Amino acid sequence: MIPLPLARVAEITSGALTGMADARAVIRGPVVIDSRAVERGSLFVAIKGERADGHDFAARACADGAVAVLASRPVEAPAVIVEDVQAALAALANAVVSKLPDTTVIGVTGSAGKTTTKDLLARLAARMGPTVAPVGSYNNEIGHPLTVLRADEATRFLVLELSARNIGHIADLARIAPPRIGVVLNVGTAHLGVFGGKEAIARAKGELPEALPEDGVAVLNADDPLVAAMASRTRARVTFFGRSADAHVRAEDVTLDARGRASFTLRTPSGAAPVRLRLYGAHAVENALAAAAAAHELGLPVGTIAEELSEAEPRSRWRMEVTERADGVTVVNDAYNANPDSMRAAFGSLAVIGEGRRKFAVIAALRELGEESAALNEELGRLAAGAGLEGLIVVGEDAGPVLAGAPGALYVPDVETAAAELSARLAPGDVVLVKGPRAEALERVAEALLGGDDR
């Protein structure tokens, strides 16, 4: 973060300094919402959540080195009191990024693959200069400005992940840190129940290309008609990525190895180079192409792009993590989250990784699907039932439709029971897929199978 006197923080956020606050004290960062992450010079942002209220930790945060607290009510610590902490955090992030004219802001959105693409793109951008990107999936109205506030005068690239839970959310995030390059991966069925249909999801994702300036670049998926159509919604120049022959940046001659890792020729307007991904699943090709297209626009040579993509390994947890135990059992932990599209991709990867081996899966009912929930979850059950599994375990609440689609599945109420049932059935050489919605915490099944933390 660029250093800011506390008086300037109060001015930016339309806040009032409490009597204990020193207007001349300087915030040097980091800006944090977890009091345990405070460092000397921090600004602690007191967020009131469902389980905890950050205001209750204000005194501890300042005792541990925070200069002050951004709060919505008086606390027993130096503070800037604002009407709305979340809005104040956004205003502060916007003020900081506006002072960084040499920083290129790149936004990534899509129904699936945002975090992997962001991680790949951050790696590529770092070859050209200091780069800031979110840790994990810091992609909402709190995580987004916190990431922006990590940037300083040395930052050349700011790679941001933008999520949407409704119309207008991406536009709001784009106003915090206006992007010059916007990447749209796909329009799928994640949060279908919230939006009401894929067309509405496309409207939401299209807010990113709409936010780009005339001298910006929209990087769009040529293989997704709803994404490709966003070319008409932007003032920016458009470049397409995909497997289509018409894509400016495309994959040719794609093959998968025995563990589901893709190799292909990366074709760009400036040349071609071979890529051999260490990421698992055919869907990783799409993410790699999106990152490559954005990096090509930044001026990175195609050979360097291919080299970096070939060396990249997963940075964010629980996304197609493939681990082999000493006894030869392979655990595929893709438990970070799930929707119908990512479930199909995961089972496709399982088919490749598990060819000629006994295959098991632990899944849970999908959420936020609205009126389509029962039908889509029953379809999920049929998908799993047709995957040639030796055993299928369904965990948690609302599992009825999944079980209707897969009547031979075993239902268990919790992850502990799932791990125990699966452990009793596994034999050397078996493959296990663990995938479900974030709320079910299915990563705990994978961790139990691996004897603790799988990293």
Side-chain angles (χ1 to χ4, degrees):
M1 178 178 171
I2 61 175
L4 289 175
L6 203 54
R8 177 61 179 145
V9 173
E11 180 183 2
I12 291 168
T13 60
S14 301
L17 296 175
T18 62
M20 290 188 291
D22 180 357
R24 298 166 298 177
V26 177
I27 303 293
R28 301 184 183 278
V31 179
V32 300
I33 59 172
D34 185 339
S35 61
R36 296 168 295 184
V38 162
E39 299 177 15
R40 187 162 299 279
S42 285
L43 176 68
F44 175 63
V45 181
I47 299 290
K48 184 176 182 180
E50 294 181 1
R51 298 183 180 178
D53 186 343
H55 294 81
D56 297 336
F57 302 91
R60 180 190 303 176
C62 288
D64 289 343
V67 173
V69 180
L70 188 64
S72 60
R73 67 172 187 265
V75 293
E76 295 296 321
V80 179
I81 307 300
V82 297
E83 183 175 342
D84 184 326
V85 171
Q86 184 176 303
L89 181 63
L92 187 61
N94 178 257
V96 166
V97 80
S98 69
K99 297 295 185 181
L100 304 175
D102 296 328
T103 300
T104 298
V105 179
I106 307 166
V108 179
T109 194
S111 294
K114 294 185 294 296
T115 299
T116 299
T117 303
K118 173 266 299 179
D119 289 343
L120 291 172
L121 184 48
R123 180 187 179 107
L124 292 167
R127 284 293 298 261
M128 303 181 67
T131 299
V132 170
V135 176
S137 295
Y138 257 36
N139 57 22
N140 62 12
E141 62 276 6
I142 296 174
H144 185 81
L146 286 175
T147 301
V148 173
L149 287 167
R150 289 171 45 210
D152 59 23
E153 292 90 343
T155 303
R156 186 171 176 192
F157 301 104
L158 183 54
V159 182
L160 300 171
E161 181 180 335
L162 289 75
S163 69
R165 295 297 299 274
N166 218 321
I167 301 294
H169 285 183
I170 288 177
D172 289 342
L173 297 179
R175 279 190 285 270
I176 293 172
R180 184 177 175 275
I181 297 177
V183 180
V184 185
L185 298 171
N186 43 54
V187 174
T189 49
H191 311 308
L192 189 64
V194 176
F195 286 99
K198 290 185 71 170
E199 291 73 16
I201 296 172
R203 285 202 304 276
K205 304 301 181 187
E207 291 169 6
L208 178 54
E210 284 179 349
L212 299 172
E214 289 185 10
D215 63 347
V217 183
V219 179
L220 305 179
N221 188 349
D223 301 331
D224 187 321
L226 290 174
V227 176
M230 294 176 191
S232 65
R233 296 174 57 181
T234 184
R235 301 170 293 165
R237 181 168 55 83
V238 175
T239 188
F240 289 105
F241 68 89
R243 302 197 191 193
S244 167
D246 297 330
H248 301 102
V249 175
R250 59 188 182 272
E252 298 177 345
D253 305 320
V254 179
T255 61
L256 297 177
D257 68 12
R259 301 197 74 187
R261 296 169 296 195
S263 295
F264 58 91
T265 298
L266 173 65
R267 180 75 59 183
T268 76
S270 61
V275 174
R276 186 173 182 176
L277 294 178
R278 298 184 184 184
L279 306 178
Y280 293 88
H283 56 287
V285 175
E286 175 183 276
N287 302 330
L289 288 174
H296 182 265
E297 291 295 334
L298 294 175
L300 200 62
V302 63
T304 305
I305 294 172
E307 174 189 331
E308 290 293 334
L309 290 178
S310 297
E311 294 180 356
E313 295 184 350
R315 288 188 181 182
S316 299
R317 303 195 70 187
W318 310 328
R319 294 168 174 86
M320 287 303 294
E321 290 183 352
V322 180
T323 307
E324 187 166 321
R325 300 191 326 195
D327 63 357
V329 169
T330 300
V331 179
V332 182
N333 184 355
D334 196 30
Y336 181 78
N337 214 337
N339 58 58
D341 302 307
S342 67
M343 276 291 192
R344 282 190 288 272
F347 273 103
S349 298
L350 178 63
V352 176
I353 297 171
E355 185 175 1
R357 305 164 68 181
R358 294 202 314 168
K359 299 184 290 292
F360 295 82
V362 181
I363 63 175
L366 303 174
R367 303 188 179 192
E368 298 183 347
L369 298 176
E371 295 179 356
E372 300 292 324
S373 180
L376 289 173
N377 272 302
E378 186 170 343
E379 182 179 327
L380 168 60
R382 289 193 294 270
L383 172 69
L389 302 177
E390 181 72 20
L392 172 65
I393 297 176
V394 183
V395 181
E397 300 177 355
D398 304 318
V402 181
L403 296 169
L410 172 66
Y411 170 75
V412 299
D414 53 60
V415 294
E416 290 78 15
T417 306
E421 288 284 350
L422 195 53
S423 295
R425 300 180 65 181
L426 290 176
D430 291 346
V431 183
V432 181
L433 169 67
V434 182
K435 185 168 183 62
R438 187 73 198 93
E440 294 294 346
L442 292 187
E443 71 278 358
R444 288 159 52 194
V445 175
E447 290 169 0
L449 293 176
L450 293 167
D453 195 321
D454 61 335
R455 290 292 285 246

